[in-house]
Amino acid sequence: GDAFVYHVSEDGQREDVLMKEIQYHQVTDEILHVDFMGVGMDETVEVAVPIQLHGRPIGVREEGGQLHQALLELQIRCKVDEIPTHLDIDIADMHLGDAIHAKDIDLGPVELVTPPDTSIASVAKPRGIQEEVVAEVEEGFIFEEEGGVKPEDEESGEPKE
């Protein structure tokens, strides 16, 4: 889940804490209980950060592809004060057949925990369309063979005297 850092002051002493778990009241949405994990701001923690895709891929706009988002959040390890609220990924330049993997994201100082080859988003042909196209091409060839040059045409093409 999301991790947020709060500054809690106890007896005038400021302490940075990472909110670990919140329990809400089912009816009133009132916060019943919050688990705080005391952390130093330079302590390294592992968290899941939501992925936000931006833009409409060329592969979708112009090449008939469909966008598939395979991963909704990325597991990362970083210092508490470096935890991003979300990760922005610009996908406008993706073409048909392109995929973005975890290792392609520029995380800066943040360390990637998700396996680097994990696919995050890809632009692929919608299933079913490929098969239809293939069938049309095959029919086209059959049609050409049947409707090839007929002997009558050759005869009628000769100049008459």
Side-chain angles (χ1 to χ4, degrees), residues 29-45:
D29 269 351
E30 215 177 324
I31 294 178
L32 295 179
H33 173 77
V34 179
D35 276 344
F36 283 115
M37 189 166 62
V39 286
M41 290 310 270
D42 55 355
E43 203 173 306
T44 302
V45 291

Side-chain angles (χ1 to χ4, degrees), residues 80-132:
V80 171
D81 57 357
E82 289 169 350
I83 298 173
T85 51
H86 59 269
L87 297 167
D88 289 316
I89 303 176
D90 183 13
I91 55 170
D93 295 334
M94 287 179 74
H95 286 272
L96 194 59
D98 283 356
I100 291 179
H101 297 91
K103 61 173 181 243
D104 300 329
I105 300 173
D106 180 18
L107 292 171
V110 174
E111 186 192 331
L112 183 67
V113 177
T114 301
D117 290 324
T118 307
S119 173
I120 291 173
S122 60
V123 176
K125 278 195 174 153
R127 292 202 184 104
I129 285 186
Q130 281 164 305
E131 290 151 34
E132 286 170 30

Side-chain angles (χ1 to χ4, degrees), residues 2-22:
D2 300 330
F4 296 99
V5 176
Y6 286 87
H7 306 294
V8 181
S9 76
E10 264 182 278
D11 311 325
Q13 281 192 311
R14 208 180 101 152
E15 192 195 343
D16 297 312
V17 296
L18 193 64
M19 205 157 78
K20 208 174 175 191
E21 192 187 2
I22 311 180

Side-chain angles (χ1 to χ4, degrees), residues 27 49 57 60 66 73-74 79 91 100 102 107 115 121 123-125 129 131 137 141 146 148 156 161:
V27 182
V49 180
V60 172
Q66 262 183 352
E73 48 184 29
L74 211 57
K79 289 182 179 175
I91 55 170
I100 291 179
L107 292 171
V123 176
K125 278 195 174 153
I129 285 186
E131 290 151 34
V137 171
F141 283 124
E146 285 172 4
S156 62
E161 291 180 44

Side-chain angles (χ1 to χ4, degrees), residues 34-80:
V34 179
D35 276 344
F36 283 115
M37 189 166 62
V39 286
M41 290 310 270
D42 55 355
E43 203 173 306
T44 302
V45 291
E46 200 173 296
V47 290
V49 180
I51 293 166
Q52 289 187 359
L53 302 181
H54 295 278
R56 196 150 170 257
I58 295 172
V60 172
R61 288 196 314 261
E62 297 171 16
E63 297 162 354
Q66 262 183 352
L67 178 69
H68 299 282
Q69 183 171 357
L71 206 63
L72 296 174
E73 48 184 29
L74 211 57
Q75 204 70 29
I76 59 164
R77 191 180 293 123
C78 63
K79 289 182 179 175
V80 171

